[in-house]
Amino acid sequence: MTKAIYIASSEGGVGKSTIALGLVEAFAQTVKSVGVFRPLVKSTEDDIVTRTLTSLRTVPQAYDDAIGVDYDTLLDDPEGAMKTIIARYEELRKHYEAIVIVGSDYADVSAPIEMHFNAQVAANLNAPVLLAVRGKGRTVEQVKRSAEVAVKEFTSLHNVIFGCIATRIDPSLVQEARMALATVRRDLVTGVLPETTQLAAPTIGMQFEALGAKPWAGSKRELNRESLGILIGGMTLPNMLNKMAEDHTVVMPADRSDLLPALLLAHLSPAFPNLAGVILTGGYDIPANVRELVDSIDAGLPIAIVEEGAYKTTEKLTRLEGTRTSSAHKIDLSRKLFTDNINAAQLLNSLDRHPSTLRTPLAFENEIMATARADLRTIVLPEASDDRILESAAAILERGVARIILLGDSLTIQQRAAELGLNLSNAKIVSPNDDALINQFATEYARLRAKKGVTFEQAKEKLKDLSYFGTMMVHFGMADGMVSGAVNTTANTIRPSLEFIKTKPGVSVVSSSFLMNMPDRVLVMGDCAVNPNPTAEQLADIAISSAQTASAFGVEPRVAMLSYSSGDSGSGEDVDLVREATRLVKERAPELIVEGPIQFDTAIDPVVGKKKMPDSPVAGQATVFIFPDLNTGNNTYKAIQRTAGAVAVGPVLQGLNKPVNDLSRGALVDDIINTVAITAIQAQESPSGTGSPLYQAFLAEQGKK
């Protein structure tokens, strides 16, 4: 399993790149492969942090693979951007044992909005969070408060926070900051990085660009030199020489150009510090003879002219900060700063102690799509007259989630697809009026229903119903599953399956469950759509089938058999029914973790569960909820859906030999796509239908004709 760390901050200018460099190095000593990822960048073309990290010897990764989306993409389509981020990250996880994720830089969005966005991304990526808070210009108390606010924001979205590092702390306040940060939350590993002037230093080129300065003299190569400070040149030459400091930028009036030759000579002399550059203010013209003299000295020192005065120029330069990874020198400094001040081993141990098990709705959706793509199956959609079905089919084919069969007239479907701007060229379109198919299907249906007195002609009449036609395709192995119900009723969708698909061995009843995507996890709830008043035997079947559904979709089943009482606290006919059903589940599926009767609050709330049933392996941690009747189940799942921010996926039909699933007649395109993906995953439990003896016999029969 890939280890991941999401480095997040509540504002820009924190120095996340320093932390990222340190973590990459720490991971490289413990795992074989380390990757990096930046979910949101200002420009996908040239993000300096990403370039730096992917250029490291320990990160064998292409630049393009390390980037999610840019700000423009996010603003144009927030939901689509988030899906792209998740998909790109999931692809990255396939190749690396550890991934360092570096949050955004707060370049184009207000800080509160962007912090919330980073919290959402971390949750959707299921990545434990390492918080970074800025200390520059702040008291220790302000730093602590900033950390507390960030912890609250990220925790509100169910993120796991395992550490917090305060950066750019005044060196004199380091010890005090360490003590204060340790009180934010006792289980967090904390650390402090002192401010280092060199890491924040801009290049002289950046200074020129920020001022809109006009280059006047000097070497372009020297524009990459870092400026460690500002020196105001309004004094006499002797005093100026005394004030010279290594890699400082001199700001002086352009009409004091008489000082330039002396400064250049001092810059070249080993007796004086080297300057970073010179900025001449006021926009005054420089005499030609001075320019000639400067050129003859050939010091290479960058010199530029600005129109503004010294005060405004200096003010702008004081606010300007450089990129902390803009040079090999800075990268080395960052690494050393991290190593000298942060206990990396302690940090990674804390990561292991704080595993994240988040499964957000978007993350779950991505999971099921990826699972479906891993083993493609063929799904028939009989309701091709509905635009939603056509739109869904086009999206499914584009995403590579499943192969699609549409029932209907090919010309009509293609014309409508063209009108909607859809590409259905990869869909297989089958006419339900195909005489060969009708005859083959009618013969089979009459055979299967012979005891019910169904004749061949009656069977042909039944097949005019596209639900029967589509289900017969599944029966023959021409499709691996069917999704219907956008137009047809639930009964009309299920009835053909009950007549000839039949239930799995040992299963007495077809049931349904909903995959309830909560903000932080996935729960399974059944039966919420099919059986009004199940018997104890049927309730046991529903529980076992729902547990199998949970396992198929990566949910560890801990089954709660719900009632209005917990354990032995209640009695009555309804409680006794649940108690008997629980006994049957334990008898038929002894490997399942099941508890019943149990109340909903006892099953889902750890505090209540510990109090009411302290010895139960299900109380407070149930993942599969089995309702005693349809009335309870249907109302409860809808109540949770509407009040708890849950996304209900389903109903998922359970217990059939081959998967057939029902749609709500109000289903949206996304609902249909999800249901097709779920059906495709259910179909993966069996070999592809095209390999079935019945299908091969059908092909042989067609060959004879």
Side-chain angles (χ1 to χ4, degrees):
M1 184 176 177
T2 301
K3 293 184 178 181
I5 292 177
Y6 195 107
I7 307 171
S9 62
S10 58
E11 58 192 320
V14 175
K16 295 187 297 292
S17 56
T18 297
I19 299 173
L21 285 165
L23 286 175
V24 166
E25 192 165 284
F27 268 135
Q29 297 174 18
T30 61
V31 300
K32 292 180 180 178
S33 57
V34 184
V36 295
F37 186 61
R38 295 216 70 194
L40 179 64
V41 295
K42 188 172 183 178
S43 169
T44 57
E45 298 297 321
D46 193 24
D47 180 68
I48 189 167
V49 174
T50 309
R51 291 241 179 246
T52 298
L53 294 173
T54 54
S55 68
L56 298 175
R57 180 182 55 80
T58 50
V59 182
Q61 182 179 348
Y63 171 86
D64 291 342
D65 295 339
I67 289 177
V69 298
D70 58 21
Y71 282 92
D72 288 340
T73 303
L74 175 64
L75 294 172
D76 288 344
D77 181 10
E79 186 176 345
M82 185 67 78
K83 289 182 178 180
T84 299
I85 289 169
I86 295 170
R88 291 184 177 177
Y89 173 72
E90 288 299 321
E91 182 60 31
L92 207 60
R93 286 182 64 227
K94 299 175 183 176
H95 306 288
Y96 300 97
E97 292 183 37
I99 299 177
V100 176
I101 307 165
V102 186
S104 64
D105 293 331
Y106 293 79
D108 286 2
V109 184
S110 69
I113 294 174
E114 192 154 345
M115 180 164 61
H116 186 77
F117 172 79
N118 277 279
Q120 287 181 311
V121 174
N124 283 319
L125 302 187
N126 191 27
V129 173
L130 175 63
L131 288 175
V133 293
R134 189 176 70 184
K136 185 179 181 180
R138 291 176 177 165
T139 66
V140 168
E141 185 59 33
Q142 288 172 329
V143 171
K144 180 186 174 184
R145 180 57 185 158
S146 179
E148 289 171 340
V149 169
V151 167
K152 184 177 180 181
E153 176 68 28
F154 279 82
T155 303
S156 71
L157 289 181
H158 310 285
N159 286 286
V160 173
I161 304 168
F162 72 95
C164 182
I165 295 176
T167 67
R168 309 189 66 182
I169 298 289
D170 186 315
S172 67
L173 299 176
V174 165
Q175 192 56 38
E176 186 182 348
R178 285 198 180 105
M179 294 173 64
L181 211 59
T183 65
V184 171
R185 209 177 76 188
R186 298 293 180 183
D187 64 323
L188 298 181
V189 170
T190 58
V192 173
L193 294 176
E195 174 71 320
T196 304
T197 305
Q198 291 167 297
L199 284 178
T203 64
I204 188 67
M206 290 176 62
Q207 290 180 329
F208 288 180
E209 184 178 354
L211 296 171
K214 181 182 178 182
W216 185 72
S219 168
K220 288 184 179 180
R221 210 172 39 250
E222 293 297 309
L223 291 175
N224 291 322
R225 181 187 289 270
E226 289 153 1
S227 174
L228 302 182
I230 309 298
L231 175 62
I232 307 298
M235 59 198 79
T236 62
L237 179 60
N239 288 329
M240 182 83 103
L241 293 175
N242 287 333
K243 295 289 185 181
M244 282 183 64
E246 191 73 27
D247 290 327
H248 274 50
T249 300
V250 176
V251 177
M252 64 184 223
D255 62 354
R256 291 299 311 275
S257 58
D258 56 302
L259 293 175
L260 271 178
L263 283 176
L264 294 178
L265 290 172
H267 173 73
L268 291 172
S269 171
F272 293 90
N274 287 335
L275 297 173
V278 178
I279 296 172
L280 302 173
T281 65
Y284 302 105
D285 290 332
I286 310 295
N289 55 359
V290 174
R291 175 60 188 262
E292 187 177 352
L293 180 59
V294 167
D295 287 344
S296 69
I297 294 173
D298 192 23
L301 184 69
I303 304 171
I305 300 173
V306 296
E307 294 294 326
E308 289 183 324
Y311 177 79
K312 286 188 175 180
T313 298
T314 304
E315 188 180 37
K316 288 181 179 179
L317 291 177
T318 302
R319 293 197 303 266
L320 182 66
E321 288 191 351
T323 304
R324 302 172 76 84
T325 56
S326 57
S327 66
H329 173 62
K330 281 189 175 183
I331 292 171
D332 289 339
L333 278 177
S334 288
R335 284 171 167 161
K336 188 174 187 310
L337 183 67
F338 185 91
T339 303
D340 290 348
N341 293 277
I342 304 296
N343 188 330
Q346 189 183 32
L347 205 60
L348 296 187
N349 287 337
S350 180
L351 174 67
D352 292 336
R353 293 195 308 272
H354 292 80
S356 180
T357 56
L358 277 174
R359 291 181 89 186
T360 65
L362 276 177
F364 180 70
E365 180 184 325
N366 186 75
E367 283 178 29
I368 63 174
M369 298 300 165
T371 303
R373 278 193 290 268
D375 184 8
L376 278 185
R377 296 304 165 106
T378 302
I379 306 301
V380 58
L381 304 176
E383 300 166 321
S385 60
D386 192 297
D387 288 351
R388 293 170 297 168
I389 296 297
L390 299 184
E391 290 174 26
S392 302
I396 289 161
L397 292 168
E398 184 180 356
R399 299 182 193 181
V401 174
R403 293 183 288 265
I404 294 294
I405 297 175
L406 297 170
L407 297 187
D409 177 70
S410 179
L411 182 60
T412 302
I413 291 173
Q414 292 292 359
Q415 283 181 339
R416 185 55 182 159
E419 291 170 2
L420 296 171
L422 304 174
N423 180 10
L424 291 176
S425 58
N426 290 326
K428 184 177 182 179
I429 301 174
V430 174
S431 172
N433 299 315
D434 185 297
D435 287 337
L437 288 176
I438 291 172
N439 290 333
Q440 191 76 17
F441 290 174
T443 300
E444 178 70 2
Y445 184 74
R447 182 184 71 81
L448 293 170
R449 303 292 289 173
K451 291 182 179 179
K452 299 291 185 180
V454 175
T455 66
F456 177 77
E457 291 302 321
Q458 290 173 326
K460 286 181 71 175
E461 190 66 24
K462 277 284 188 183
L463 288 168
K464 292 179 180 179
D465 184 330
L466 296 188
S467 290
Y468 275 86
F469 194 98
T471 307
M472 191 57 74
M473 292 186 77
V474 175
H475 174 68
F476 266 84
M478 299 173 71
D480 297 302
M482 183 182 81
V483 173
S484 185
V487 178
N488 292 287
T489 64
T490 296
N492 206 45
T493 298
I494 298 175
R495 190 179 298 112
S497 302
L498 297 176
E499 290 183 7
F500 53 87
I501 294 289
K502 303 292 186 180
T503 58
K504 294 177 179 179
V507 178
S508 64
V509 65
V510 174
S511 61
S512 74
S513 65
F514 278 88
L515 300 169
M516 301 298 293
N517 296 334
M518 310 299 286
D520 60 336
R521 53 188 158 161
V522 179
L523 304 175
V524 177
M525 297 185 174
D527 182 347
C528 304
V530 178
N531 297 285
N533 293 290
T535 64
E537 289 77 12
Q538 291 172 330
L539 205 57
D541 274 354
I542 293 168
I544 293 169
S545 293
S546 297
Q548 291 171 346
T549 296
S551 295
F553 293 97
V555 178
E556 182 183 354
R558 292 186 292 275
V559 184
M561 307 293 287
L562 298 174
S563 180
Y564 57 76
S565 72
S566 295
D568 299 324
S569 64
S571 62
E573 185 177 338
D574 292 339
V575 178
D576 291 340
L577 183 143
V578 174
R579 188 172 284 117
E580 174 62 12
T582 304
R583 185 191 69 78
L584 291 170
V585 172
K586 292 178 178 179
E587 182 181 280
R588 297 177 187 176
E591 73 285 357
L592 278 183
I593 302 172
V594 61
E595 186 71 72
I598 187 171
Q599 294 162 290
F600 188 89
D601 61 342
T602 307
I604 199 166
D605 190 309
V607 176
V608 178
K610 189 73 174 175
K611 182 178 180 181
K612 288 190 175 183
M613 303 183 76
D615 299 323
S616 170
V618 173
Q621 50 186 334
T623 58
V624 179
F625 297 80
I626 306 302
F627 298 99
D629 55 66
L630 184 58
N631 182 51
T632 307
N634 191 269
N635 279 293
T636 303
Y637 103 78
K638 287 179 178 176
I640 293 172
Q641 181 186 25
R642 300 299 180 187
T643 62
V647 177
V649 179
V652 180
L653 294 184
Q654 308 168 151
L656 290 167
N657 270 316
K658 295 183 179 180
V660 171
N661 278 309
D662 179 45
L663 297 167
S664 163
R665 276 170 284 179
L668 303 176
V669 170
D670 282 347
D671 298 328
I672 299 169
I673 294 169
N674 286 337
T675 303
V676 169
I678 283 169
T679 307
I681 293 170
Q682 287 179 302
Q684 292 172 355
E685 296 177 8
S686 305
S688 176
T690 55
S692 73
L694 194 62
Y695 183 66
Q696 295 302 319
F698 168 74
L699 291 179
E701 186 68 24
Q702 293 296 105
K704 291 177 184 178
K705 297 176 181 180

